[in-house]
Amino acid sequence: MRALTWHGKHDVRVETVDDPEIINPRDAIIRITSTAICGSDLHLYDGYIPTMKAGDILGHEFMGEVVETGSRSSLKKGQRVVVPFTIACGGCFHCSKHQYSACDNGLPADNQDIAQAIYGQPMSGLFGYSHMTGGYAGGQAEYVRVPFSDVGPIIIPDGVEDDKVLFLSDILPTGWQAAEYAEIEPGDTVAVWGCGPVGLFCVQSAFLMGAERVIAIDHFPRRLDLARKFGAETINYEESKTYEALMEMTGGIGPDACIDAVGLEAHGFFADNVWDQIKVSTFMGTDRAHSIRQAILACRKGGRVSMPAVYGGFVDKFPLGAFMEKGLTLKTGQTHVQHYMPALLNAIMEDKIDTTFLISHRMPLEQATEGYKMFHDQQNEVTKIVLKPGMALAPAPGEKS
Amino acid sequence: MGDVRDSTGRDDAPLTVEKAGGAGAAADKLPEAQGHSLSGKTVTINRPRQPLYDFWRDFTNLPAFMDNVVAVELLDEKRSRWTVKAPGARTVQWTSIITEDVPGRTIAWTSEEGADVPNSGRVEFLDAPGGRGSWVVATILYDPPAGIIGKVIAKMFQREPAIQARRDLRRFKQLMETGEIATSARTRSQHEEETD
Ligand SMILES: NC(=O)c1ccc[n+]([C@@H]2O[C@H](COP(=O)([O-])OP(=O)(O)OC[C@H]3O[C@@H](n4cnc5c(N)ncnc54)[C@H](O)[C@@H]3O)[C@@H](O)[C@H]2O)c1
Ligand SMILES: [Zn+2]
Ligand SMILES: [Zn+2]
């Protein structure tokens, strides 16, 4: 099959690799019909994530058609499914509490050592996201092997097109969970750092959860426009100083809840950020963390900070004093996708949530290399790229061996 | 002789935690202790202890989750013949005798006189607090192949028993909680290579 493979910093290629096969009884093989490039994939593209190996297949936002099932899969051939990016077993203590991204059994036993050493306990597996998260081949390919297919994938009714449901795999539940973690109360003002896909879904979710006002922060005009379409007020941090603007826009109180949807690769030449960049490039630290510092500083006393943004290692100059003195609450984590999928699918079918506005580009899988470059270099114009293997010069039917 | 999880008295951490005193203290708790290096771990499994004990007690099941164990052949009620991988594509064999067997609770064994790698061990199946399944506590005492150098080599091959025991217990947990052992292999031939 054809697949997008990683070879190093800014080097991804579409190559021919062996087709995936059923290995465990609960596996299924999915023929990919739509697969997106994610902001998190850019962390891999930029070479920030350790434990990558040349040839690894990327992609964790995908959906498709079931073409093969193991003896204990509950799926049937021909069903259309969206697959959560978190690989969780459904049977451990954490899964029973619906904390799927904390699943004990998603990672192969040998891969658990690294995560255990860095985080204290191993996390769930992830598709297409380094060997620290399991080394699972991702879905930017024609086919993918999906473990625990009886608990992960959600079946999509016929007639609901791919573009409407694809983002159930990651970013829609991520935005929703982040808004839920912000514990929004009536009358609240919620500030959202970052108007990438995750930030935009945070904006949308925050309003659905009853926020009075949402203030969205970014520097890409097109992305800020999208936030404005949902009713958000905006701050362009290249035009205005974020902290001052937030204080003035909230009568000097600060937002009740702050959501950091930027993460690892916060842009901008802020003093602490430049120092972080120096340290990252000299291996003194791994994370640049301007947005979370600002969120903590701006948040009102006794407020909530929610951090869907991904951080992998250590940061310093974390404003622990402000965090403590103001009595803030911080909630974060990889998304428990499986927990949110059913309700969000319903909301989509009832037209309460639309996610298709986000897609700016659709292209064949064969052009994935170009897609990565575009998404990386032109973030204003490119909000989301969806790769469609079917759009490529299609192989003759039944060619998959 | 007390529980393997007993502490040394200076704090409440069980003997499976690395102690300043080394293997000595723990060795006293093992019946007919064989070997001098201790490795032990506790793992929580979201199932009652009886089915866990039952699966483990049938030693022919062990190669399914113990990476190093090639085969276990049952000789009689108490004795079994183990074939185990050793560094450098070799295998070693020994006969193991059950020294304690409390259904649903404890299995302990020791290698017969003259084993290549003298070893003994004990697995306990306990109720986890708060009704959260079971605690499986495995303690293994062994003499590393060919002394210290053997241990270094073993480490290089990741066949070092402490690492191995930790990973084997995770695989046991996966098998008991999910019915399979997680792998990221994409093809069956990759999978065979990895489990070889
Ligand atoms: N928790 C999870 O499970 C989960 C899932 C998916 C993505 N994520 C993470 O969420 C984050 C956002 O993902 P995305 O796909 O939307 O990424 P993205 O890169 O498309 O969007 C990030 C946005 O932040 C903006 N930004 C950069 N610096 C900023 C600053 N200082 N202040 C305000 N805005 C700033 C950028 O201009 C960009 O528009 C990433 O860290 C990603 O890894 C987390
Ligand atoms: Zn993603
Ligand atoms: Zn689980």
Side-chain angles (χ1 to χ4, degrees), chain A residues 88-95 103-106:
Chain A
C89 78
C92 70
F93 170 78
H94 297 94
C95 283
C103 172
D104 284 339
N105 299 316

Side-chain angles (χ1 to χ4, degrees), chain B residues 140-154:
Chain B
I140 296 162
L141 214 59
Y142 62 95
D143 270 341
I148 297 298
I149 293 175
K151 194 170 173 181
V152 171
I153 295 171

Side-chain angles (χ1 to χ4, degrees), chain A residues 17-281:
Chain A
V17 300
D18 291 335
D19 284 358
E21 296 169 318
I22 298 280
I23 295 172
N24 275 333
R26 295 170 62 186
D27 290 353
I29 305 291
I30 310 293
R31 182 180 62 80
I32 305 290
T33 52
S34 297
T35 173
I37 307 177
C38 175
S40 303
D41 292 331
L42 293 183
H43 303 335
L44 303 169
Y45 189 67
D46 283 333
Y48 284 124
I49 308 289
T51 72
M52 287 295 292
K53 291 183 188 161
D56 284 351
I57 301 173
L58 305 188
H60 59 268
E61 300 181 0
F62 55 87
M63 63 179 297
E65 185 194 323
V66 179
V67 290
E68 239 185 293
T69 53
S71 59
R72 290 186 55 211
S73 170
S74 56
L75 297 175
K76 311 246 167 329
K77 277 185 205 172
Q79 281 175 331
R80 286 170 67 229
V81 291
V82 177
V83 180
F85 79 97
T86 41
I87 300 173
C89 78
C92 70
F93 170 78
H94 297 94
C95 283
S96 72
K97 286 183 74 73
H98 281 211
Q99 295 176 330
Y100 292 100
S101 70
C103 172
D104 284 339
N105 299 316
L107 286 179
D110 295 3
N111 296 66
Q112 293 185 14
D113 292 332
I114 313 168
Q116 177 139 15
I118 302 176
Y119 302 143
Q121 287 100 28
M123 295 299 296
S124 79
L126 307 180
F127 285 101
Y129 217 79
S130 88
H131 289 260
M132 196 168 91
T133 69
Y136 288 95
Q140 286 163 6
E142 288 182 282
Y143 298 92
V144 67
R145 170 183 162 250
V146 176
F148 307 126
S149 64
D150 52 330
V151 295
I154 188 166
I155 298 159
I156 304 301
D158 285 340
V160 184
E161 68 208 59
D162 279 21
D163 291 357
K164 281 193 143 173
V165 291
L166 173 61
F167 301 140
L168 285 170
S169 55
D170 175 359
I171 48 178
L172 177 59
T174 296
W176 186 267
Q177 177 180 281
E180 199 174 271
Y181 280 5
E183 295 171 7
I184 296 164
E185 294 168 5
D188 272 359
T189 298
V190 180
V192 179
W193 274 254
C195 295
V198 172
L200 288 169
F201 286 143
C202 287
V203 171
Q204 205 179 4
S205 306
F207 276 122
L208 284 169
M209 290 176 196
E212 179 85 14
R213 298 168 66 205
V214 177
I215 303 174
I217 307 153
D218 205 303
H219 71 296
F220 292 120
R222 202 181 111 77
R223 292 182 172 205
L224 287 171
D225 276 346
L226 287 171
R228 214 175 274 122
K229 280 199 184 121
F230 288 112
E233 297 153 66
T234 59
I235 298 173
N236 184 329
Y237 65 80
E238 282 185 347
E239 316 247 311
S240 320
K241 288 195 171 139
T242 306
Y243 167 81
E244 280 172 33
L246 281 171
M247 294 310 283
E248 284 312 301
M249 290 164 86
T250 57
I253 291 170
D256 302 282
C258 291
I259 302 179
D260 174 10
V262 179
L264 210 58
E265 293 186 73
H267 301 249
F269 291 93
F270 308 97
D272 59 347
N273 205 340
V274 172
W275 170 236
D276 285 351
Q277 277 194 36
I278 295 167
K279 289 206 302 183
V280 168
S281 55

